[in-house]
Short mmCIF file of all heavy atoms in Angstrom, two decimals:
data_model
loop_
_atom_site.label_atom_id
_atom_site.label_comp_id
_atom_site.label_asym_id
_atom_site.label_seq_id
_atom_site.Cartn_x
_atom_site.Cartn_y
_atom_site.Cartn_z
N ARG A 1 -8.08 2.24 -3.65
CA ARG A 1 -7.00 3.23 -3.55
C ARG A 1 -6.40 3.20 -2.14
O ARG A 1 -5.17 3.18 -1.98
CB ARG A 1 -7.52 4.63 -3.87
CG ARG A 1 -6.46 5.71 -3.76
CD ARG A 1 -7.07 7.09 -3.86
NE ARG A 1 -7.60 7.36 -5.18
CZ ARG A 1 -6.88 7.87 -6.19
NH1 ARG A 1 -5.60 8.16 -6.01
NH2 ARG A 1 -7.45 8.10 -7.35
N THR A 2 -7.26 3.19 -1.13
CA THR A 2 -6.78 3.19 0.25
C THR A 2 -6.00 1.92 0.56
O THR A 2 -4.92 1.96 1.16
CB THR A 2 -7.95 3.33 1.22
OG1 THR A 2 -8.62 4.57 0.98
CG2 THR A 2 -7.49 3.28 2.66
N LEU A 3 -6.52 0.76 0.15
CA LEU A 3 -5.84 -0.51 0.41
C LEU A 3 -4.45 -0.54 -0.24
O LEU A 3 -3.46 -0.90 0.40
CB LEU A 3 -6.68 -1.67 -0.11
CG LEU A 3 -7.82 -2.15 0.79
CD1 LEU A 3 -8.68 -3.15 0.04
CD2 LEU A 3 -7.26 -2.80 2.06
N LEU A 4 -4.39 -0.17 -1.51
CA LEU A 4 -3.13 -0.29 -2.24
C LEU A 4 -2.09 0.71 -1.74
O LEU A 4 -0.89 0.38 -1.67
CB LEU A 4 -3.37 -0.11 -3.72
CG LEU A 4 -4.19 -1.23 -4.39
CD1 LEU A 4 -4.52 -0.86 -5.83
CD2 LEU A 4 -3.44 -2.55 -4.35
N THR A 5 -2.51 1.91 -1.41
CA THR A 5 -1.54 2.91 -0.97
C THR A 5 -1.15 2.73 0.50
O THR A 5 0.01 2.92 0.86
CB THR A 5 -2.09 4.33 -1.19
OG1 THR A 5 -3.34 4.49 -0.53
CG2 THR A 5 -2.26 4.62 -2.67
N SER A 6 -2.10 2.32 1.34
CA SER A 6 -1.79 2.19 2.77
C SER A 6 -0.99 0.94 3.09
O SER A 6 -0.28 0.89 4.10
CB SER A 6 -3.08 2.20 3.59
OG SER A 6 -3.88 1.07 3.32
N THR A 7 -1.12 -0.10 2.27
CA THR A 7 -0.39 -1.35 2.52
C THR A 7 0.87 -1.48 1.66
O THR A 7 1.62 -2.44 1.81
CB THR A 7 -1.29 -2.57 2.24
OG1 THR A 7 -1.68 -2.57 0.85
CG2 THR A 7 -2.53 -2.56 3.12
N GLY A 8 1.10 -0.51 0.79
CA GLY A 8 2.28 -0.58 -0.06
C GLY A 8 3.57 -0.34 0.72
O GLY A 8 3.56 0.26 1.80
N ASP A 9 4.67 -0.80 0.18
CA ASP A 9 5.99 -0.58 0.78
C ASP A 9 6.51 0.78 0.34
O ASP A 9 6.61 1.06 -0.86
CB ASP A 9 6.97 -1.67 0.34
CG ASP A 9 6.54 -3.04 0.83
OD1 ASP A 9 5.75 -3.11 1.79
OD2 ASP A 9 7.00 -4.05 0.25
N GLY A 10 6.86 1.64 1.30
CA GLY A 10 7.31 2.98 0.97
C GLY A 10 8.64 2.98 0.26
O GLY A 10 9.62 2.40 0.73
N ILE A 11 8.69 3.63 -0.91
CA ILE A 11 9.91 3.74 -1.70
C ILE A 11 10.27 5.21 -1.85
O ILE A 11 9.46 6.01 -2.33
CB ILE A 11 9.71 3.11 -3.10
CG1 ILE A 11 9.26 1.65 -2.99
CG2 ILE A 11 11.00 3.23 -3.92
CD1 ILE A 11 10.25 0.73 -2.30
N PHE A 12 11.46 5.56 -1.46
CA PHE A 12 11.90 6.95 -1.53
C PHE A 12 12.33 7.28 -2.96
O PHE A 12 13.12 6.56 -3.57
CB PHE A 12 13.07 7.21 -0.58
CG PHE A 12 13.56 8.62 -0.59
CD1 PHE A 12 12.77 9.63 -0.06
CD2 PHE A 12 14.78 8.95 -1.13
CE1 PHE A 12 13.20 10.96 -0.06
CE2 PHE A 12 15.23 10.26 -1.14
CZ PHE A 12 14.44 11.26 -0.61
N ASP A 13 11.78 8.36 -3.48
CA ASP A 13 12.13 8.85 -4.82
C ASP A 13 13.01 10.08 -4.65
O ASP A 13 12.52 11.16 -4.31
CB ASP A 13 10.86 9.19 -5.59
CG ASP A 13 11.14 9.51 -7.06
OD1 ASP A 13 12.31 9.76 -7.40
OD2 ASP A 13 10.18 9.53 -7.86
N SER A 14 14.29 9.92 -4.88
CA SER A 14 15.24 10.99 -4.61
C SER A 14 15.06 12.19 -5.54
O SER A 14 15.51 13.29 -5.23
CB SER A 14 16.68 10.46 -4.75
OG SER A 14 16.91 9.99 -6.06
N ARG A 15 14.38 12.01 -6.65
CA ARG A 15 14.23 13.11 -7.59
C ARG A 15 13.29 14.19 -7.10
O ARG A 15 13.38 15.34 -7.53
CB ARG A 15 13.76 12.58 -8.96
CG ARG A 15 14.82 11.73 -9.67
CD ARG A 15 14.34 11.32 -11.03
NE ARG A 15 13.12 10.51 -10.94
CZ ARG A 15 12.31 10.30 -11.99
NH1 ARG A 15 12.55 10.85 -13.14
NH2 ARG A 15 11.26 9.53 -11.84
N ASN A 16 12.37 13.83 -6.18
CA ASN A 16 11.47 14.86 -5.66
C ASN A 16 11.30 14.78 -4.14
O ASN A 16 10.51 15.53 -3.57
CB ASN A 16 10.10 14.80 -6.35
CG ASN A 16 9.43 13.44 -6.19
OD1 ASN A 16 9.71 12.72 -5.24
ND2 ASN A 16 8.57 13.09 -7.11
N GLY A 17 12.03 13.87 -3.51
CA GLY A 17 12.01 13.79 -2.06
C GLY A 17 10.77 13.16 -1.47
O GLY A 17 10.55 13.26 -0.26
N ARG A 18 9.96 12.51 -2.30
CA ARG A 18 8.73 11.88 -1.81
C ARG A 18 8.96 10.39 -1.55
O ARG A 18 9.77 9.74 -2.21
CB ARG A 18 7.59 12.00 -2.82
CG ARG A 18 7.03 13.38 -2.98
CD ARG A 18 5.79 13.33 -3.86
NE ARG A 18 4.71 12.60 -3.21
CZ ARG A 18 3.82 11.84 -3.86
NH1 ARG A 18 3.89 11.69 -5.16
NH2 ARG A 18 2.85 11.24 -3.18
N THR A 19 8.21 9.86 -0.58
CA THR A 19 8.14 8.42 -0.37
C THR A 19 6.79 7.95 -0.91
O THR A 19 5.74 8.41 -0.44
CB THR A 19 8.30 8.05 1.11
OG1 THR A 19 9.61 8.45 1.55
CG2 THR A 19 8.13 6.56 1.31
N ILE A 20 6.83 7.07 -1.89
CA ILE A 20 5.63 6.64 -2.62
C ILE A 20 5.44 5.15 -2.39
O ILE A 20 6.40 4.38 -2.45
CB ILE A 20 5.79 6.96 -4.12
CG1 ILE A 20 5.94 8.48 -4.31
CG2 ILE A 20 4.62 6.43 -4.93
CD1 ILE A 20 6.40 8.88 -5.68
N PRO A 21 4.22 4.69 -2.12
CA PRO A 21 4.01 3.26 -1.86
C PRO A 21 4.17 2.41 -3.12
O PRO A 21 3.63 2.74 -4.17
CB PRO A 21 2.58 3.20 -1.32
CG PRO A 21 1.92 4.42 -1.87
CD PRO A 21 2.98 5.47 -1.95
N ARG A 22 4.93 1.34 -3.00
CA ARG A 22 5.00 0.33 -4.06
C ARG A 22 4.00 -0.76 -3.73
O ARG A 22 3.98 -1.30 -2.64
CB ARG A 22 6.41 -0.24 -4.17
CG ARG A 22 6.61 -1.11 -5.42
CD ARG A 22 6.54 -2.59 -5.12
NE ARG A 22 7.60 -2.99 -4.22
CZ ARG A 22 7.43 -3.81 -3.20
NH1 ARG A 22 6.22 -4.31 -2.91
NH2 ARG A 22 8.43 -4.14 -2.43
N VAL A 23 3.14 -1.09 -4.67
CA VAL A 23 2.06 -2.02 -4.42
C VAL A 23 2.58 -3.33 -3.82
O VAL A 23 3.59 -3.88 -4.25
CB VAL A 23 1.27 -2.29 -5.73
CG1 VAL A 23 2.15 -2.93 -6.81
CG2 VAL A 23 0.05 -3.16 -5.46
N ASN A 24 1.88 -3.81 -2.78
CA ASN A 24 2.20 -5.07 -2.12
C ASN A 24 0.91 -5.89 -2.10
O ASN A 24 0.05 -5.68 -1.25
CB ASN A 24 2.72 -4.82 -0.71
CG ASN A 24 3.16 -6.09 0.00
OD1 ASN A 24 2.55 -7.15 -0.18
ND2 ASN A 24 4.20 -6.00 0.80
N GLY A 25 0.78 -6.80 -3.05
CA GLY A 25 -0.46 -7.55 -3.20
C GLY A 25 -0.82 -8.38 -1.99
O GLY A 25 -2.00 -8.43 -1.59
N ASP A 26 0.15 -9.04 -1.38
CA ASP A 26 -0.13 -9.87 -0.21
C ASP A 26 -0.67 -9.03 0.94
O ASP A 26 -1.65 -9.41 1.60
CB ASP A 26 1.13 -10.60 0.24
CG ASP A 26 1.50 -11.75 -0.69
OD1 ASP A 26 0.63 -12.20 -1.45
OD2 ASP A 26 2.67 -12.19 -0.64
N ALA A 27 -0.02 -7.91 1.19
CA ALA A 27 -0.46 -7.06 2.30
C ALA A 27 -1.84 -6.48 2.04
O ALA A 27 -2.68 -6.39 2.94
CB ALA A 27 0.56 -5.94 2.53
N ALA A 28 -2.10 -6.08 0.79
CA ALA A 28 -3.41 -5.53 0.45
C ALA A 28 -4.50 -6.57 0.60
O ALA A 28 -5.60 -6.29 1.09
CB ALA A 28 -3.38 -4.96 -0.97
N LEU A 29 -4.20 -7.80 0.18
CA LEU A 29 -5.19 -8.88 0.30
C LEU A 29 -5.49 -9.18 1.77
O LEU A 29 -6.65 -9.35 2.16
CB LEU A 29 -4.69 -10.13 -0.41
CG LEU A 29 -5.60 -11.36 -0.33
CD1 LEU A 29 -6.97 -11.06 -0.94
CD2 LEU A 29 -4.96 -12.56 -1.02
N SER A 30 -4.46 -9.25 2.58
CA SER A 30 -4.67 -9.51 4.01
C SER A 30 -5.54 -8.42 4.64
O SER A 30 -6.44 -8.71 5.43
CB SER A 30 -3.32 -9.58 4.73
OG SER A 30 -2.57 -10.70 4.30
N ALA A 31 -5.28 -7.17 4.28
CA ALA A 31 -6.07 -6.06 4.83
C ALA A 31 -7.52 -6.14 4.35
O ALA A 31 -8.44 -5.90 5.13
CB ALA A 31 -5.45 -4.72 4.41
N ALA A 32 -7.72 -6.49 3.08
CA ALA A 32 -9.08 -6.61 2.56
C ALA A 32 -9.85 -7.70 3.29
O ALA A 32 -11.02 -7.53 3.64
CB ALA A 32 -9.04 -6.89 1.07
N LEU A 33 -9.21 -8.83 3.52
CA LEU A 33 -9.89 -9.93 4.21
C LEU A 33 -10.13 -9.60 5.68
O LEU A 33 -11.13 -10.03 6.25
CB LEU A 33 -9.07 -11.21 4.07
CG LEU A 33 -8.97 -11.75 2.64
CD1 LEU A 33 -8.08 -12.99 2.58
CD2 LEU A 33 -10.35 -12.06 2.07
N ASP A 34 -9.21 -8.83 6.29
CA ASP A 34 -9.44 -8.40 7.68
C ASP A 34 -10.65 -7.49 7.77
O ASP A 34 -11.45 -7.58 8.71
CB ASP A 34 -8.20 -7.66 8.20
CG ASP A 34 -7.07 -8.60 8.56
OD1 ASP A 34 -7.33 -9.82 8.66
OD2 ASP A 34 -5.93 -8.13 8.70
N ILE A 35 -10.81 -6.59 6.79
CA ILE A 35 -11.96 -5.70 6.78
C ILE A 35 -13.25 -6.51 6.69
O ILE A 35 -14.21 -6.28 7.42
CB ILE A 35 -11.87 -4.72 5.59
CG1 ILE A 35 -10.74 -3.73 5.82
CG2 ILE A 35 -13.20 -3.96 5.41
CD1 ILE A 35 -10.42 -2.88 4.60
N PHE A 36 -13.25 -7.51 5.82
CA PHE A 36 -14.43 -8.36 5.68
C PHE A 36 -14.70 -9.12 6.97
O PHE A 36 -15.82 -9.18 7.46
CB PHE A 36 -14.26 -9.34 4.53
CG PHE A 36 -15.35 -10.39 4.52
CD1 PHE A 36 -16.61 -10.10 4.01
CD2 PHE A 36 -15.14 -11.64 5.07
CE1 PHE A 36 -17.62 -11.04 4.03
CE2 PHE A 36 -16.14 -12.59 5.10
CZ PHE A 36 -17.39 -12.28 4.58
N SER A 37 -13.65 -9.69 7.55
CA SER A 37 -13.81 -10.49 8.76
C SER A 37 -14.37 -9.65 9.90
O SER A 37 -15.28 -10.07 10.62
CB SER A 37 -12.47 -11.10 9.16
OG SER A 37 -12.58 -11.83 10.36
N ASP A 38 -13.84 -8.43 10.08
CA ASP A 38 -14.32 -7.56 11.15
C ASP A 38 -15.79 -7.21 10.95
O ASP A 38 -16.59 -7.24 11.89
CB ASP A 38 -13.50 -6.27 11.19
CG ASP A 38 -12.08 -6.51 11.67
OD1 ASP A 38 -11.83 -7.59 12.22
OD2 ASP A 38 -11.23 -5.63 11.46
N GLY A 39 -16.18 -6.92 9.73
CA GLY A 39 -17.56 -6.59 9.46
C GLY A 39 -18.49 -7.76 9.65
O GLY A 39 -19.59 -7.64 10.20
#
C-alpha cells in the first residue's frame, strides 16, 4: 500500500478536490529494490 500510493503520480479529481495517486509500476519497483538494497 505504501509503495503504490507513495510512488504513484498524483492525479487531481475535480469532483471532490482530492489528489489521488495513479499507480506507477516502474517507480514502485525502483523503490522496492532500493528498500532491499539498503537493508
Side-chain angles (χ1 to χ4, degrees):
R1 179 190 292 272
T2 299
L3 278 171
L4 292 173
T5 56
S6 65
T7 62
D9 296 340
I11 304 298
F12 181 69
D13 188 345
S14 61
R15 292 184 299 163
N16 58 25
R18 289 188 67 214
T19 297
I20 298 167
R22 191 259 297 137
V23 62
N24 184 324
D26 286 341
L29 178 60
S30 294
L33 294 177
D34 284 346
I35 291 170
F36 170 79
S37 177
D38 290 345

